[in-house]
Amino acid sequence: MSSSLTLLSWLGLSLSALAPASERVAPASLVGAIRGARERVFPTLVHLRPVFQRSFAGRTIEAQATGSGVIVTPDGLVVTNFHVAGTATRLICTLSDRRRAHADLVGADAATDLAVVRLRLGDLGVDALPHATFGDASTLVEGEFVMAMGSPLGLTRSLSLGVVSCRERFLPPMTVGGHLATGLFNTWIQTDAAINPGNSGGPLVDLAGRIVGINTRGYRGADNLGFSIPADVVEEVLAELVEHGHVARSRIGVSIQPLHELVGVFTEGAPDGVLVASVEPGSPAAAAGVGAGDVLTRFGGEPLAAVFDEDVPGVRRRLASAAAGVEVEVEVRRQGRTRTVRITPEPWRDADEVDHELETLGLTVRRMSDAELRERYLEERGGVLVTGVRAGSRAAAARPLLRPGDVVVETAGQGIAEPTDLERAIGEAGARAVLVRIVRGEAELLIAVPAPERTDTPRDPARAAEEGR
Amino acid sequence: MNPRRPFLVIALALSSAAPTAAYDFEKDAAALRAIHARVARSIVSVDTVVRERSLQGIPVDTPQRATGIVHDGRGGIVAPTSLVAGAIGGRPRVVSVEIHDADGARYDARFVGRDDAVGFAFFRVDDERFAGEPLEFSEEDSLEVGDFFASVRLSGPNFGHVPYLDAFMVSASVAEPKRCYVTSFAVSDYLGAPAVALDGRVVGVVGSFLLRDVPPAPKALFASPFGFADDGHEIVVIPFEHLRDVLADPPESSDATADETPPARPPWLGVETQELLPELVDVLGLADGTTGVLLTRILPGSPAERAGLRTSDAVVALDDRPLDAPPKQQNRRFRDRVAERKAGERLRVRVLRDGAELAVEVELGEQPLGAGEVDALESEPFGLVARDLVHADRAELRLPEEVRGARLTQVRATGLGGLAGLRAGDIVERVDGAPIEDAAALIATLERAEVDRVDELVAFVRRGRSTQFVHVLPDW
């Protein structure tokens, strides 16, 4: 009791110190507003403990995570982070009234680090659940009060209060799950409301009790630096995930750069358009004659603009939202002259979220993203990335040694573009030794994978122990 | 200067002292004075600056000094090759040569050639005022152990290039591997100076000779000039016998600006390989016991590519000699075999491809220049060092032939370039829309920008597989 009083009095002080002319919430109503928001959102909080698979040392293992989520529809759709539930194979959720229910993964999107799961209402014996609604993140102002709700470190039904520290923070692209590019398509709401591991996937709530963001990231080693995905991005992705289970994106093969101080160099006066920094050879944009230094001013009829870094994720989202295979009109300005070109975007290729284990071989592999393939100059050829080699397996007996990071491009004479290709080729080779062609760095090596041993080898004891648990 | 001087005086006194007759100091002193006076007109002090490139391509300048001997009437000077050697093991280039005579007069000179068999370099002064007198060597060049010989060098600039005289005793007469005289006196200051017997014969030159076999050391980053590292070289008196031929016909490059004649480039096939392990022989269906290498990479534009060699070809013989090295030595054997040949020669490569054996003739090329072998140029205000693109860059980044630019080898974080976001490894392709052909063009552009005090520059750079624009804001 005394501690909450301390907190409140501290709040009153800071409010009067901040108090702008257009004060949104008077100190007298703050406590009430917090209580109101709590009452609206707390019943919609979900604590998730998903079981997921990941690969380790050439085999698939199971692991458990803990995170937060928020119910957004009466029929039990829960929004959370990809890194909480995106690869879940089993989902057990605890609601705020401590009832437990199973849930099923509806869809996930690593690129925005979002996932949607559906609670099994049958487990709860209800037809509908309380749900939270989305607010407008674009009208947030720095200094405005927000609350982070969720289960920090598994401590369920926690609420922390802070302010919006920055409404539109640009963070460079990061990875989630070790290798999946994320953060490409959104800026972040930065808040000093305490966000700890376990808060992930929980809502950032304004004083009106609306979801303005999904709490996703903190900064290791920093205090009071939390980052939430803005509600508008969440709503867009949610709709896609519910409808398709994934977010279909496309690419035209350009990288863009904000105009910044280059406005005067690449445009005449008006800071409109986005600067093309790079065009991938052979890409749809290259085919349409777009080059580095061009300024894209319209895409599918809508104007584009990126002056600062913060503008870039939105433009990327806009470009990626075009349907693959459908021609789109793009207005391009080059040296003051504007022309319209037609570009047919190609599908955006994501990496596999989870590695495939080729158990008979003793190998874990995965599909690579466009960016990963390009990094290795394999965009034309494709290939499958080796992520792990199980000790004592056939793959471990390969000579020269097969290593994580190698890209399998051919097996037993067959081109390998997908993990399933590899699986099939190995299967067809049967009891014979197999020649595998890999790309390692700039070299292309041949590797002999020995024939499977005739006798049934006893199962790896470590593995048996793991499965027995 | 010479720590042994007091001892020398005693030694001189003892050498011909007889208990009954007074030693004739005046006689030897007169001989030494005569040598001093005569030789001083025939020696010069040679100062060079030798430029090498570090592994990062940064130019490193090393000053060198030694004594030179005037050997003809046209300004020809012979001096130790240490004057044209670098200090860090890069490919040295002589960027300046100046000489001083005993009057302290300074002349520009040029490096015209070297003879590594005797360890001497040749320089020439093209200045009519230069009045150095050729030194006459004596055909009778023998000395006996215990004999003294005199030598004259010029002091450094602090003393105004005055001639220094000293005398040394022959400690040993060496016959193998080459005849020469060793003195245990400290003679290294006299490197390049003539050795003159007290009877006036000019018997040879103080030089550096390889006298001992030492096991080959791993290639050191800091290769030493003569004598200081244990590379088997000793500073000795090299008798005229070994110099006669080379002085009669000194190496002289026709190119007036030429420094060191570049050594022939190593041969280049342009492939990378992996061992043809027994496991692979088996799964490839090759005959048991086949040895050799598999080609893992054919470098773009290489002789191997032109000859049609392909990735995964199994190379089993070169010039009809099988590659029959033991396991783990096949790659090396292959490399050594190629290295035995010369650029321009034809190499017959026998390969197994798709079950068939075929012979491919490859005309070996010259090893392309490496990153450390091309000039690196620096822009101080922009805080960057750039070099020309080399073949390895094109191979690494798979750059098409038409891509031109300058590769940044160093970017100082606090320089104008670093502050703008340029990074080491970037290739600057354009500045303000104008194509950058090479490092010199980039540096010239940046220097012009400094002269013109431009307020902004837009560099178009390639970084890895993508490109971007970098906005540089100078604050002159």
Side-chain angles (χ1 to χ4, degrees):
Chain A
M1 197 59 204
S2 63
S3 64
S4 61
L5 277 174
T6 314
L7 184 63
L8 286 171
S9 59
W10 174 81
L11 280 172
L13 276 175
S14 11
L15 246 198
S16 50
L18 274 176
S22 60
E23 202 173 275
R24 285 189 160 193
V25 182
S29 66
L30 178 62
V31 177
I34 292 170
R35 189 167 294 162
R38 179 207 162 278
E39 272 158 21
R40 285 185 67 173
V41 182
F42 251 43
T44 70
L45 291 182
V46 177
H47 175 53
L48 294 93
R49 283 181 297 135
V51 173
F52 63 95
Q53 291 189 324
R54 60 189 203 87
S55 69
F56 175 76
R59 55 164 65 97
T60 301
I61 58 170
E62 287 196 322
Q64 197 187 11
T66 171
S68 308
V70 58
I71 303 169
V72 293
T73 59
D75 59 348
L77 280 181
V78 175
V79 171
T80 182
N81 277 137
F82 174 88
H83 77 259
V84 172
T87 60
T89 50
R90 176 175 289 161
L91 275 159
I92 297 172
C93 303
T94 309
L95 308 191
S96 65
D97 60 7
R98 306 180 200 196
R99 280 184 297 169
R100 296 210 301 175
H102 285 91
D104 301 298
L105 186 63
V106 173
D109 182 46
T112 52
D113 201 353
L114 288 169
V116 178
V117 305
R118 189 187 297 277
L119 291 166
R120 293 184 191 163
L121 297 193
D123 288 0
L124 299 163
V126 295
D127 294 332
L129 288 169
H131 68 280
T133 55
F134 287 99
D136 187 356
S138 65
T139 60
L140 289 174
V141 287
E142 286 79 7
E144 183 173 342
F145 283 99
V146 283
M147 284 154 276
M149 298 187 192
S151 312
L153 303 174
L155 306 171
T156 54
R157 302 181 312 283
S158 293
L159 182 155
S160 62
L161 178 68
V163 292
V164 173
S165 305
C166 175
R167 181 176 66 84
E168 198 176 33
R169 174 67 67 200
F170 172 80
L171 297 177
M174 300 158 277
T175 56
V176 64
H179 66 276
L180 299 162
T182 192
L184 284 166
F185 300 110
N186 59 281
T187 55
W188 304 81
I189 302 167
Q190 182 188 324
T191 179
D192 68 350
I195 292 179
N196 286 289
N199 270 115
S200 284
L204 186 73
V205 178
D206 68 6
L207 286 182
R210 292 168 308 202
I211 305 168
V212 290
I214 294 296
N215 303 323
T216 302
R217 291 207 165 235
Y219 248 127
R220 192 171 297 166
D223 288 326
N224 307 333
L225 290 177
F227 299 94
S228 306
I229 302 164
D232 51 329
V233 176
V234 178
E235 283 187 286
E236 211 175 289
V237 172
L238 171 66
E240 288 286 314
L241 293 183
V242 169
E243 193 169 340
H244 306 291
H246 68 277
V247 180
R249 294 193 175 86
S250 67
R251 60 201 300 279
I252 60 172
V254 297
S255 66
I256 58 170
Q257 179 174 350
L259 281 162
H260 274 288
E261 306 100 330
L262 298 172
V263 163
V265 179
F266 288 100
T267 75
E268 269 121 43
D272 61 337
V274 298
L275 177 61
V276 175
S278 192
V279 179
E280 297 165 13
S283 66
V290 175
D294 285 352
V295 174
L296 308 183
T297 48
R298 282 180 171 280
F299 187 79
E302 284 177 39
L304 291 177
V307 179
F308 301 111
D309 284 336
E310 291 77 12
D311 303 325
V312 169
V315 172
R316 286 202 196 110
R317 198 160 72 240
R318 175 77 200 89
L319 295 179
S321 68
V326 180
E327 207 172 68
V328 59
E329 282 194 352
V330 182
E331 207 175 83
V332 184
R333 192 171 57 222
R334 181 181 294 176
Q335 285 159 356
R337 297 181 59 177
T338 303
R339 68 206 165 96
T340 300
V341 297
R342 292 169 183 284
I343 302 181
T344 309
E346 58 188 29
W348 182 283
R349 180 188 159 108
D350 279 317
D352 273 332
E353 293 163 358
V354 183
D355 296 349
H356 295 250
E357 182 182 1
L358 307 180
E359 207 193 329
T360 54
L361 214 51
L363 211 54
T364 52
V365 297
R366 68 171 171 80
R367 177 187 212 257
M368 290 185 287
S369 68
D370 287 316
E372 289 176 308
L373 286 167
R374 276 179 49 71
E375 234 167 67
R376 293 167 170 83
Y377 298 87
L378 287 171
E379 67 270 25
E380 300 286 327
R381 191 172 187 184
V384 164
L385 183 73
V386 174
T387 57
V389 179
R390 193 175 75 227
S393 67
R394 255 179 97 186
R399 292 294 178 275
L401 288 173
L402 202 52
R403 302 184 201 150
D406 289 347
V407 180
V408 177
V409 293
E410 198 183 295
T411 300
Q414 301 180 34
I416 302 292
E418 299 285 337
T420 46
D421 297 340
L422 180 57
E423 215 155 6
R424 192 172 51 243
I426 293 293
E428 285 168 8
R432 295 189 303 275
V434 184
L435 187 66
V436 173
R437 186 188 299 271
I438 61 136
V439 170
R440 177 182 295 167
E442 287 159 5
E444 196 174 312
L445 279 76
L446 290 179
I447 289 183
V449 177
E453 283 177 40
R454 289 274 173 77
T455 52
D456 278 342
T457 45
R459 299 200 66 185
D460 185 346
R463 186 179 177 78
E466 215 158 63
E467 285 175 354
R469 273 207 297 270
Chain B
M1 290 296 274
N2 189 335
R4 290 193 189 251
R5 182 177 290 273
F7 171 69
L8 167 69
V9 174
I10 297 162
L12 265 175
L14 290 176
S15 64
S16 42
T20 51
Y23 172 68
D24 190 355
F25 279 102
E26 189 49 41
K27 180 171 163 262
D28 277 352
L32 287 167
R33 273 198 297 274
I35 291 167
H36 180 258
R38 179 162 58 98
V39 172
R41 293 194 303 274
S42 298
I43 56 167
V44 291
S45 165
V46 185
D47 287 272
T48 60
V49 175
V50 177
R51 180 166 298 168
E52 299 160 280
R53 279 171 293 270
S54 72
L55 293 176
Q56 291 77 32
I58 316 274
V60 176
D61 286 353
T62 310
Q64 306 277 17
R65 172 176 298 156
T67 302
I69 298 171
V70 180
H71 71 83
D72 69 17
R74 296 171 288 117
I77 288 162
V78 58
T81 45
S82 57
L83 284 166
V84 297
I88 61 166
R91 288 206 320 137
R93 197 158 59 90
V94 179
V95 291
S96 81
V97 182
E98 63 177 52
I99 67 159
H100 288 86
D101 65 16
D103 298 326
R106 180 197 168 282
Y107 301 92
D108 284 327
R110 59 194 167 89
F111 170 49
V112 291
R114 63 192 287 171
D115 188 308
D116 288 318
V118 288
F120 284 97
F122 292 84
F123 301 88
R124 193 164 290 286
V125 183
D126 300 307
D127 192 322
E128 287 173 0
R129 293 167 298 167
F130 179 68
E133 296 175 9
L135 191 67
E136 290 278 338
F137 285 88
S138 169
E139 291 290 334
E140 173 43 49
D141 61 1
S142 61
L143 290 171
E144 299 292 330
V145 172
D147 279 357
F148 276 78
F149 65 93
S151 191
V152 185
R153 67 179 175 97
L154 298 185
S155 70
N158 290 351
F159 292 141
H161 299 96
V162 298
Y164 268 41
L165 170 74
D166 212 334
F168 310 89
M169 189 182 74
V170 176
S171 305
S173 174
V174 173
E176 293 293 332
K178 289 178 188 168
R179 186 170 70 90
C180 63
Y181 304 108
V182 180
T183 175
S184 55
F185 289 25
V187 75
S188 58
D189 282 349
Y190 284 81
L191 193 65
V196 188
L198 294 189
D199 59 14
R201 289 174 297 131
V202 182
V203 295
V205 179
V206 179
S208 167
F209 246 21
L210 182 67
L211 287 189
R212 290 175 298 114
D213 274 338
V214 287
K219 204 168 186 179
L221 181 62
F222 291 92
S224 96
F226 301 126
F228 302 114
D230 190 9
D231 58 356
H233 279 87
E234 301 281 354
I235 296 182
V236 299
V237 172
I238 300 175
F240 176 59
E241 174 195 353
H242 300 304
L243 300 167
R244 189 186 295 114
D245 291 349
V246 66
L247 284 176
D249 185 17
E252 185 130 9
S253 161
S254 56
D255 178 359
T257 60
D259 32 54
E260 182 187 352
T261 7
R265 299 292 302 167
W268 188 46
L269 180 57
V271 298
E272 289 170 12
T273 59
Q274 72 176 102
E275 292 235 331
L276 188 50
L277 302 172
E279 292 91 337
L280 283 165
V281 169
D282 193 34
V283 74
L284 284 165
L286 305 178
D288 264 0
T290 306
T291 59
V293 295
L294 287 166
L295 302 184
T296 58
R297 189 171 186 218
I298 311 291
L299 291 167
S302 66
E305 186 186 66
R306 280 194 294 277
L309 287 174
R310 294 190 204 157
T311 303
S312 302
D313 280 350
V315 178
V316 293
L318 292 178
D319 289 333
D320 299 322
R321 285 163 68 198
L323 278 171
D324 52 356
K328 298 199 188 261
Q329 291 179 35
Q330 294 171 13
N331 281 330
R332 191 195 176 91
R333 179 68 53 91
F334 175 79
R335 276 200 305 275
D336 288 350
R337 284 280 188 78
V338 175
E340 283 168 10
R341 305 296 304 274
K342 289 196 178 69
E345 293 181 349
R346 297 186 76 80
L347 179 71
R348 195 158 49 252
V349 183
R350 205 155 76 224
V351 303
L352 305 176
R353 179 190 297 167
D354 303 329
E357 180 168 336
L358 52 153
V360 179
E361 287 264 327
V362 187
E363 188 182 326
L364 292 172
E366 287 186 354
Q367 192 86 53
L369 289 177
E373 294 178 297
V374 295
D375 274 320
L377 304 169
E378 186 174 4
S379 163
E380 170 53 32
F382 289 89
L384 48 86
V385 178
R387 60 164 172 77
D388 290 352
L389 290 177
V390 296
H391 180 272
D393 298 320
R394 297 187 179 279
E396 174 203 342
L397 298 166
R398 320 218 179 167
L399 298 178
E401 229 9 78
E402 66 269 17
V403 171
R404 293 275 181 277
R407 187 141 207 202
L408 304 183
T409 57
Q410 287 201 334
V411 177
R412 200 173 72 236
T414 51
L416 291 174
L419 291 170
L422 289 173
R423 292 189 205 158
D426 284 353
I427 296 172
V428 180
E429 291 189 17
R430 296 205 292 268
V431 172
D432 289 337
I436 297 294
E437 277 291 312
D438 52 22
L442 174 64
I443 299 301
T445 302
L446 298 180
E447 280 170 358
R448 213 161 42 241
E450 189 182 1
V451 170
D452 296 346
R453 292 283 189 266
V454 301
D455 23 302
E456 64 173 357
L457 284 169
V458 179
F460 179 64
V461 305
R462 182 175 295 269
R463 179 176 298 167
R465 283 217 77 181
S466 56
T467 53
Q468 67 186 79
F469 295 89
V470 176
H471 191 215
V472 186
L473 282 172
D475 54 346
W476 305 115

